[in-house]
Amino acid sequence: MITYEYPLNERIRTLLRLEDLFGKASHFINADGAYEHHVALITLFEILEVAGRADLKVDLVQELERQRQILLSFRENPDISEEALSGALYEIEQASSDLLAMAGKVGQYVRENEWLMNIRSRANIPGGVCEFDLPSYHYWRHRPLAERQRELTGWLAPMAPIREGLTIVLRLLRASGRTESLTALRGQYQMMMGGRSAQMLRVRVADEVASVPEISANKYALNVRFVGAESVARPRQTAADIAFELAFCNL
Protein backbone atom coordinates (compact mmCIF):
# COMPACT_ATOMS: atom_id res chain seq x y z
CA MET A 1 0.00 0.00 0.00
CA ILE A 2 1.11 3.56 -0.75
CA THR A 3 0.16 6.21 1.82
CA TYR A 4 -0.57 9.80 0.82
CA GLU A 5 -0.76 12.35 3.64
CA TYR A 6 -2.59 15.65 3.25
CA PRO A 7 -2.08 18.29 5.98
CA LEU A 8 -5.03 20.55 6.70
CA ASN A 9 -3.14 23.39 8.38
CA GLU A 10 0.19 25.13 8.00
CA ARG A 11 1.64 23.78 11.25
CA ILE A 12 1.27 20.12 10.20
CA ARG A 13 2.47 20.99 6.71
CA THR A 14 5.68 22.40 8.22
CA LEU A 15 6.21 19.32 10.41
CA LEU A 16 5.78 16.96 7.46
CA ARG A 17 8.25 18.95 5.38
CA LEU A 18 10.80 18.90 8.18
CA GLU A 19 10.32 15.17 8.73
CA ASP A 20 11.06 14.57 5.05
CA LEU A 21 14.13 16.84 5.11
CA PHE A 22 15.59 15.34 8.29
CA GLY A 23 15.20 11.86 6.79
CA LYS A 24 16.98 12.89 3.59
CA ALA A 25 19.78 14.64 5.50
CA SER A 26 20.47 11.54 7.60
CA HIS A 27 20.40 9.30 4.53
CA PHE A 28 22.91 11.36 2.57
CA ILE A 29 25.21 11.96 5.56
CA ASN A 30 25.53 8.19 5.99
CA ALA A 31 26.42 7.76 2.30
CA ASP A 32 30.05 7.58 1.16
CA GLY A 33 30.30 9.95 -1.79
CA ALA A 34 31.19 13.65 -1.95
CA TYR A 35 28.13 14.31 -4.16
CA GLU A 36 25.86 12.72 -1.54
CA HIS A 37 27.45 14.90 1.14
CA HIS A 38 26.81 17.94 -1.01
CA VAL A 39 23.12 16.99 -1.11
CA ALA A 40 23.20 16.52 2.68
CA LEU A 41 24.54 20.04 3.12
CA ILE A 42 21.95 21.54 0.77
CA THR A 43 19.25 19.66 2.71
CA LEU A 44 20.60 21.16 5.94
CA PHE A 45 20.11 24.61 4.44
CA GLU A 46 16.54 23.66 3.50
CA ILE A 47 15.88 22.58 7.10
CA LEU A 48 17.04 26.01 8.27
CA GLU A 49 14.73 27.68 5.77
CA VAL A 50 11.64 25.71 6.82
CA ALA A 51 12.32 25.68 10.56
CA GLY A 52 12.99 29.42 10.64
CA ARG A 53 9.59 30.44 9.28
CA ALA A 54 7.72 30.15 12.58
CA ASP A 55 8.31 29.80 16.29
CA LEU A 56 8.61 26.07 15.88
CA LYS A 57 10.11 25.33 19.28
CA VAL A 58 7.22 26.97 21.13
CA ASP A 59 4.62 25.15 19.01
CA LEU A 60 6.26 21.79 19.63
CA VAL A 61 6.67 22.34 23.38
CA GLN A 62 3.03 23.40 23.71
CA GLU A 63 1.77 20.39 21.76
CA LEU A 64 3.97 17.99 23.72
CA GLU A 65 2.70 19.43 26.99
CA ARG A 66 -0.90 19.04 25.81
CA GLN A 67 -0.24 15.39 24.95
CA ARG A 68 1.47 14.88 28.32
CA GLN A 69 -1.63 16.13 30.13
CA ILE A 70 -3.83 13.80 28.07
CA LEU A 71 -1.62 10.81 28.93
CA LEU A 72 -1.60 11.75 32.62
CA SER A 73 -5.38 11.47 32.62
CA PHE A 74 -4.98 7.75 31.85
CA ARG A 75 -2.94 7.08 35.01
CA GLU A 76 -5.76 5.30 36.84
CA ASN A 77 -7.14 3.45 33.81
CA PRO A 78 -6.76 -0.32 34.40
CA ASP A 79 -6.89 -0.96 30.63
CA ILE A 80 -3.71 1.07 30.06
CA SER A 81 -0.29 -0.46 30.66
CA GLU A 82 1.45 1.53 33.37
CA GLU A 83 4.83 0.63 31.90
CA ALA A 84 3.89 1.79 28.40
CA LEU A 85 2.32 4.96 29.78
CA SER A 86 5.40 5.79 31.86
CA GLY A 87 7.62 5.21 28.83
CA ALA A 88 5.54 7.53 26.65
CA LEU A 89 5.49 10.22 29.35
CA TYR A 90 9.25 9.99 29.80
CA GLU A 91 9.80 10.33 26.04
CA ILE A 92 7.59 13.43 25.87
CA GLU A 93 9.14 15.03 28.94
CA GLN A 94 12.67 14.40 27.62
CA ALA A 95 11.81 15.87 24.22
CA SER A 96 10.26 18.96 25.84
CA SER A 97 13.30 19.41 28.06
CA ASP A 98 15.66 19.18 25.08
CA LEU A 99 13.61 21.73 23.13
CA LEU A 100 13.55 24.19 26.03
CA ALA A 101 17.33 23.83 26.36
CA MET A 102 17.85 25.04 22.78
CA ALA A 103 19.18 28.59 22.90
CA GLY A 104 18.38 31.22 20.29
CA LYS A 105 16.89 30.81 16.85
CA VAL A 106 16.87 27.35 15.29
CA GLY A 107 20.16 26.82 13.44
CA GLN A 108 21.64 30.17 14.47
CA TYR A 109 25.07 28.54 14.83
CA VAL A 110 24.95 27.65 11.12
CA ARG A 111 23.91 31.18 10.15
CA GLU A 112 26.90 32.52 12.07
CA ASN A 113 29.28 30.28 10.10
CA GLU A 114 30.46 32.55 7.28
CA TRP A 115 31.90 29.65 5.27
CA LEU A 116 28.61 27.73 5.31
CA MET A 117 26.59 30.85 4.49
CA ASN A 118 28.84 31.52 1.52
CA ILE A 119 28.11 28.02 0.23
CA ARG A 120 24.40 28.53 0.86
CA SER A 121 24.30 31.78 -1.13
CA ARG A 122 26.25 30.25 -4.04
CA ALA A 123 24.07 27.12 -4.00
CA ASN A 124 21.07 29.28 -4.94
CA ILE A 125 22.79 29.97 -8.28
CA PRO A 126 22.57 27.13 -10.85
CA GLY A 127 26.04 25.60 -10.97
CA GLY A 128 27.20 28.14 -8.42
CA VAL A 129 29.33 25.79 -6.30
CA CYS A 130 31.82 24.75 -8.96
CA GLU A 131 35.46 24.47 -7.89
CA PHE A 132 36.40 27.85 -9.46
CA ASP A 133 33.58 29.55 -7.49
CA LEU A 134 34.27 27.92 -4.12
CA PRO A 135 37.76 26.38 -4.08
CA SER A 136 37.63 25.89 -0.28
CA TYR A 137 34.41 23.88 -0.66
CA HIS A 138 36.02 21.87 -3.47
CA TYR A 139 38.86 21.12 -1.07
CA TRP A 140 36.38 20.09 1.68
CA ARG A 141 34.66 17.65 -0.66
CA HIS A 142 38.02 15.93 -1.14
CA ARG A 143 38.62 15.52 2.57
CA PRO A 144 38.48 11.97 4.04
CA LEU A 145 35.01 10.43 4.33
CA ALA A 146 35.10 10.24 8.14
CA GLU A 147 36.02 13.92 8.40
CA ARG A 148 33.16 15.06 6.15
CA GLN A 149 30.66 12.86 7.98
CA ARG A 150 31.84 14.14 11.35
CA GLU A 151 31.37 17.76 10.33
CA LEU A 152 27.99 17.17 8.68
CA THR A 153 26.77 15.28 11.76
CA GLY A 154 28.01 18.10 13.96
CA TRP A 155 26.12 20.72 11.95
CA LEU A 156 22.89 18.71 12.09
CA ALA A 157 23.11 17.44 15.69
CA PRO A 158 22.03 20.65 17.52
CA MET A 159 18.69 20.46 15.69
CA ALA A 160 18.02 16.93 16.97
CA PRO A 161 15.49 18.18 19.59
CA ILE A 162 13.36 19.60 16.75
CA ARG A 163 13.42 16.25 14.98
CA GLU A 164 12.63 14.33 18.19
CA GLY A 165 9.73 16.63 19.04
CA LEU A 166 8.11 16.55 15.60
CA THR A 167 8.59 12.76 15.40
CA ILE A 168 6.56 12.29 18.58
CA VAL A 169 3.83 14.72 17.48
CA LEU A 170 3.47 13.14 14.04
CA ARG A 171 3.49 9.62 15.48
CA LEU A 172 0.64 10.51 17.84
CA LEU A 173 -1.21 12.28 15.03
CA ARG A 174 -0.98 9.27 12.71
CA ALA A 175 -2.02 6.90 15.47
CA SER A 176 -5.16 8.97 16.11
CA GLY A 177 -6.71 8.12 12.74
CA ARG A 178 -9.40 5.48 12.33
CA THR A 179 -9.19 3.88 8.89
CA GLU A 180 -12.26 3.48 6.67
CA SER A 181 -12.40 1.38 3.50
CA LEU A 182 -14.05 3.37 0.70
CA THR A 183 -14.49 3.40 -3.08
CA ALA A 184 -14.05 6.31 -5.47
CA LEU A 185 -16.63 5.71 -8.21
CA ARG A 186 -15.06 6.51 -11.56
CA GLY A 187 -12.16 8.03 -9.67
CA GLN A 188 -14.24 10.48 -7.61
CA TYR A 189 -15.19 10.46 -3.92
CA GLN A 190 -16.99 13.21 -1.99
CA MET A 191 -17.97 13.41 1.66
CA MET A 192 -19.70 16.09 3.73
CA MET A 193 -17.64 16.78 6.83
CA GLY A 194 -20.67 17.12 9.09
CA GLY A 195 -18.71 18.75 11.89
CA ARG A 196 -15.84 16.27 11.67
CA SER A 197 -12.50 17.96 12.30
CA ALA A 198 -9.02 16.82 11.30
CA GLN A 199 -5.48 18.12 11.08
CA MET A 200 -4.37 15.61 8.48
CA LEU A 201 -5.88 13.09 6.07
CA ARG A 202 -4.21 9.79 5.18
CA VAL A 203 -5.18 8.02 1.97
CA ARG A 204 -3.84 4.52 1.28
CA VAL A 205 -4.00 2.93 -2.15
CA ALA A 206 -2.77 -0.46 -3.38
CA ASP A 207 0.66 -0.36 -5.05
CA GLU A 208 -0.66 -1.69 -8.34
CA VAL A 209 -3.17 1.17 -8.77
CA ALA A 210 -1.61 3.52 -11.34
CA SER A 211 -3.51 6.53 -10.03
CA VAL A 212 -2.75 9.17 -7.40
CA PRO A 213 -5.23 11.09 -5.22
CA GLU A 214 -5.77 14.82 -5.52
CA ILE A 215 -7.29 15.94 -2.22
CA SER A 216 -9.16 19.11 -1.33
CA ALA A 217 -10.94 19.69 1.95
CA ASN A 218 -12.47 22.38 4.12
CA LYS A 219 -14.76 22.40 7.15
CA TYR A 220 -17.75 21.57 4.95
CA ALA A 221 -16.64 18.90 2.49
CA LEU A 222 -13.91 16.53 1.41
CA ASN A 223 -13.15 15.70 -2.21
CA VAL A 224 -10.77 12.96 -3.35
CA ARG A 225 -10.13 12.76 -7.08
CA PHE A 226 -7.93 10.05 -8.54
CA VAL A 227 -5.94 10.95 -11.65
CA GLY A 228 -3.50 8.99 -13.79
CA ALA A 229 0.01 8.72 -12.37
CA GLU A 230 1.62 9.44 -15.74
CA SER A 231 4.08 12.34 -15.93
CA VAL A 232 2.01 14.90 -17.83
CA ALA A 233 1.03 18.47 -17.02
CA ARG A 234 -2.71 17.75 -16.75
CA PRO A 235 -3.35 14.07 -15.94
CA ARG A 236 -6.87 12.85 -16.59
CA GLN A 237 -9.27 11.64 -13.95
CA THR A 238 -9.34 7.87 -13.68
CA ALA A 239 -12.42 6.27 -15.23
CA ALA A 240 -12.25 3.11 -13.12
CA ASP A 241 -13.54 2.62 -9.58
CA ILE A 242 -10.70 2.92 -7.07
CA ALA A 243 -10.73 1.17 -3.69
CA PHE A 244 -8.85 3.13 -1.04
CA GLU A 245 -8.52 3.64 2.70
CA LEU A 246 -9.09 6.97 4.41
CA ALA A 247 -8.19 8.12 7.92
CA PHE A 248 -8.97 11.45 9.61
CA CYS A 249 -6.13 12.29 12.02
CA ASN A 250 -6.57 14.81 14.81
CA LEU A 251 -4.72 15.45 18.07
Side-chain angles (χ1 to χ4, degrees):
M1 299 287 282
I2 301 176
T3 301
Y4 300 87
E5 295 182 329
Y6 185 82
L8 296 177
N9 60 51
E10 189 60 32
R11 185 169 66 108
I12 301 303
R13 186 174 290 109
T14 296
L15 296 185
L16 289 172
R17 284 177 174 154
L18 284 171
E19 178 187 50
D20 179 71
L21 290 171
F22 275 117
K24 289 176 180 175
S26 295
H27 172 81
F28 287 113
I29 287 174
N30 290 324
D32 296 340
Y35 284 120
E36 286 84 353
H37 289 170
H38 170 72
V39 176
L41 189 56
I42 299 304
T43 305
L44 172 64
F45 297 148
E46 292 180 356
I47 291 172
L48 291 181
E49 183 70 24
V50 176
R53 291 177 184 171
D55 200 347
L56 190 63
K57 288 189 296 184
V58 173
D59 284 347
L60 285 172
V61 169
Q62 289 178 344
E63 185 57 49
L64 289 171
E65 175 58 23
R66 194 168 74 85
Q67 294 303 315
R68 190 180 77 88
Q69 294 299 326
I70 291 173
L71 290 178
L72 284 173
S73 68
F74 296 135
R75 276 287 195 194
E76 306 302 324
N77 190 326
D79 297 325
I80 303 296
S81 166
E82 184 65 28
E83 182 179 357
L85 184 59
S86 296
L89 285 168
Y90 175 80
E91 184 182 30
I92 289 175
E93 289 163 0
Q94 186 63 53
S96 295
S97 177
D98 291 344
L99 282 165
L100 290 170
M102 293 180 69
K105 190 175 182 180
V106 175
Q108 186 60 34
Y109 63 96
V110 175
R111 295 182 180 90
E112 292 172 353
N113 186 314
E114 187 175 346
W115 184 74
L116 287 175
M117 289 300 94
N118 193 26
I119 296 170
R120 182 184 185 184
S121 64
R122 294 296 309 178
N124 290 327
I125 302 170
V129 293
C130 289
E131 59 187 86
F132 53 83
D133 290 308
L134 292 173
S136 66
Y137 182 49
H138 183 64
Y139 169 80
W140 180 86
R141 287 170 57 189
H142 283 77
R143 301 305 299 153
L145 168 63
E147 184 177 322
R148 296 197 310 268
Q149 286 182 325
R150 182 172 63 252
E151 291 196 316
L152 286 167
T153 300
W155 293 327
L156 185 65
M159 288 186 281
I162 296 291
R163 185 177 190 178
E164 293 165 5
L166 70 86
T167 296
I168 293 172
V169 171
L170 289 177
R171 185 173 70 236
L172 293 171
L173 178 62
R174 288 169 176 135
S176 71
R178 179 175 296 178
T179 301
E180 304 175 57
S181 295
L182 303 168
T183 301
L185 300 177
R186 297 184 61 80
Q188 185 83 19
Y189 179 82
Q190 291 180 316
M191 171 191 290
M192 300 307 295
M193 296 296 280
R196 188 186 312 209
S197 63
Q199 293 173 300
M200 182 174 73
L201 301 175
R202 303 187 83 215
V203 173
R204 300 183 73 216
V205 186
D207 294 23
E208 61 271 16
V209 175
S211 298
V212 297
E214 290 184 347
I215 302 169
S216 60
N218 55 41
K219 62 181 179 180
Y220 302 110
L222 162 69
N223 183 67
V224 181
R225 174 174 173 260
F226 285 90
V227 299
E230 63 270 12
S231 301
V232 296
R234 295 181 180 276
R236 296 181 179 180
Q237 182 173 319
T238 302
D241 294 348
I242 303 293
F244 69 100
E245 295 179 355
L246 174 67
F248 289 84
C249 302
N250 197 34
L251 290 173

